[in-house]
Amino acid sequence: MTAAITDNAHLPLSRYRVVDFGTAWAGPMAAQLLADLGAQVIKVESRARLDGLRLGRPIVGDDIAGGDRGLWPELQPVFHGINRNKLSVTLNLKTQEGLDLVRELLARSDVALNNYSPGVLDRLGLGYEEVRKLRPDIILVSMPALGETGPLRDVLAYAPIIQALSGLMSVVGYSGDEPLVGELQAPWSDVVAAIHAALATVAALYHRNRTGEGQFIEVAQLEATTSMLGEAFLETQMTGMSPEPRGNYNAGGAPHNNYPCAEPDRWVAIAVTGEQEWQSFCGALGNPPWAAEEKFGTLAERLGNLAELDAHVGRWTQECTSLEITELLQGKGIAAMPVMNIEDQFLDPHLQERQAYLEVEHPHVGIEWLYGMPWLLGDTPGNIRTPAPLLGEHNALVFRELLGLSAEDVERLQESEVIY
């Protein structure tokens, strides 16, 4: 293999090859997390049916007419974030020769990952029992919206629907009287499912290294999302009541909220838990007389008089800047942090040190900011080595150098719209 395929040797997953059938967000992000840690991820795409995140009007750059020159599939910044460090090949899976090439690729791979609807891979002849014939120890990861089996298996759903079905949307917001505008449109469940799938894949590789066994893994996105709502489910089971939005309320602490600061439209988040922290908090405020009142003497009493407590704290925070409050309270061992807008996140020294955002140069967009690694391992932290691939950018590399096709075969398959 060429250096372009094996230049990840210092990273923990450099020994493994992943075939990424993922589309949209959840599947591709799971594969991206593996790629960031060194896995060679080959994204299987097709011009006959583009990944949905390649579509639509670009939202970066000045070239709003780029689509007239065929560039729009290369200009989507979200696609760039969740497909960095990957190779891209284009195969028309509606053709027999396209399926044959995919099978050859799977026979040389460790993992295949998809977030298709249930039954799609089976209809293509690429279900688990079939791909095991190509490589007995292969790991097949499936990420259906609501599961491969059961009464909801055929429901087609993206993140907002999954988040509604999970119950997440019912607990997001300030209160029943102040619903969150637009509910929860951010694809939170995609990210949660992607992290679950990436961790499951690594666990399966570890298992295979010890036993030689491959396996089929199902990560239903609905189940991954509900697994993060344990307190809400327990509350229903224990009280019979359906949980409601609580804003920033936390039964384990008070004050526990966002408070206005001296700067215009600036807020600071403060969370005080435990009696020792409460005493430290009062000391940081100069022990004002109201803090000694009996109504704030215990956590239960502070929670019972929360509106009045928040009003007192808010009057104090409005006298200071968010940074002054943060430095003062953190110095006393109390959790406090400015509420950041997008610009703040890029400028924050801590996030910069942790490389939360990194500059990456894309051939058609130029320098753009992508989110960095979600975790930094001490010896093998992972990195962004290459920008998201252009559509079919690595056809020659994969089909000629990895699968051994001749230049004439590749040209013929391109002309017949198999490599397409």
Side-chain angles (χ1 to χ4, degrees), residues 285-368:
L285 272 62
N287 293 307
W290 61 262
E293 295 179 14
E294 185 176 346
K295 67 178 72 175
F296 302 128
T298 66
L299 174 59
E301 289 167 327
R302 291 193 291 277
L303 290 172
N305 296 280
L306 198 53
E308 186 176 350
L309 174 63
D310 280 343
H312 283 300
V313 176
R315 282 190 287 271
W316 172 73
T317 58
Q318 286 179 300
E319 299 174 357
C320 311
T321 68
S322 57
L323 188 57
E324 289 170 344
I325 296 167
T326 297
E327 292 178 345
L328 173 64
L329 295 184
Q330 285 188 3
K332 301 288 187 179
I334 299 165
M337 195 67 187
V339 177
M340 296 184 182
N341 58 30
I342 294 176
E343 181 182 13
D344 295 334
Q345 295 176 46
F346 282 95
L347 298 178
D348 180 70
H350 176 75
L351 293 180
Q352 288 182 342
E353 178 68 22
R354 298 290 294 176
Q355 298 184 324
Y357 302 97
L358 297 171
E359 287 187 344
V360 178
E361 185 168 4
H362 186 275
H364 288 312
V365 174
I367 296 294
E368 60 182 346

Side-chain angles (χ1 to χ4, degrees), residues 137-373:
D137 64 350
I138 197 166
I139 296 163
L140 178 60
V141 183
S142 181
M143 301 174 63
L146 308 182
E148 293 284 346
T149 59
L152 299 179
R153 72 181 297 271
D154 294 323
V155 174
L156 303 180
Y158 285 99
I161 296 174
I162 293 168
Q163 289 158 188
L165 288 172
S166 71
L168 172 63
M169 283 189 180
S170 69
V171 296
V172 172
Y174 292 104
S175 71
D177 298 327
E178 299 178 86
L180 183 67
V181 176
E183 295 300 335
L184 186 60
Q185 291 299 314
W188 188 80
S189 62
D190 280 325
V191 177
V192 169
I195 294 172
H196 278 70
L199 179 60
T201 301
V202 173
L205 288 169
Y206 178 76
H207 174 79
R208 193 183 74 175
N209 290 343
R210 293 188 299 122
T211 66
E213 298 174 349
Q215 56 187 289
F216 172 73
I217 298 171
E218 177 190 327
V219 181
Q221 295 177 46
L222 177 64
E223 293 178 355
T225 304
T226 56
S227 74
M228 307 299 290
L229 301 172
E231 290 185 5
F233 281 99
L234 282 174
E235 181 179 347
T236 300
Q237 293 172 355
M238 296 174 68
T239 69
M241 304 291 290
S242 295
E244 296 180 350
R246 295 181 177 177
N248 297 316
Y249 172 86
N250 187 314
H256 191 285
N257 209 337
N258 297 332
Y259 300 93
C261 300
E263 315 105 303
D265 197 27
R266 286 287 181 172
W267 300 71
V268 64
I270 300 173
V272 177
T273 59
E275 293 307 315
Q276 183 175 347
E277 283 193 15
W278 168 248
Q279 295 302 325
S280 297
F281 178 74
C282 294
L285 272 62
N287 293 307
W290 61 262
E293 295 179 14
E294 185 176 346
K295 67 178 72 175
F296 302 128
T298 66
L299 174 59
E301 289 167 327
R302 291 193 291 277
L303 290 172
N305 296 280
L306 198 53
E308 186 176 350
L309 174 63
D310 280 343
H312 283 300
V313 176
R315 282 190 287 271
W316 172 73
T317 58
Q318 286 179 300
E319 299 174 357
C320 311
T321 68
S322 57
L323 188 57
E324 289 170 344
I325 296 167
T326 297
E327 292 178 345
L328 173 64
L329 295 184
Q330 285 188 3
K332 301 288 187 179
I334 299 165
M337 195 67 187
V339 177
M340 296 184 182
N341 58 30
I342 294 176
E343 181 182 13
D344 295 334
Q345 295 176 46
F346 282 95
L347 298 178
D348 180 70
H350 176 75
L351 293 180
Q352 288 182 342
E353 178 68 22
R354 298 290 294 176
Q355 298 184 324
Y357 302 97
L358 297 171
E359 287 187 344
V360 178
E361 185 168 4
H362 186 275
H364 288 312
V365 174
I367 296 294
E368 60 182 346
W369 288 94
L370 302 181
Y371 61 86
M373 297 293 297

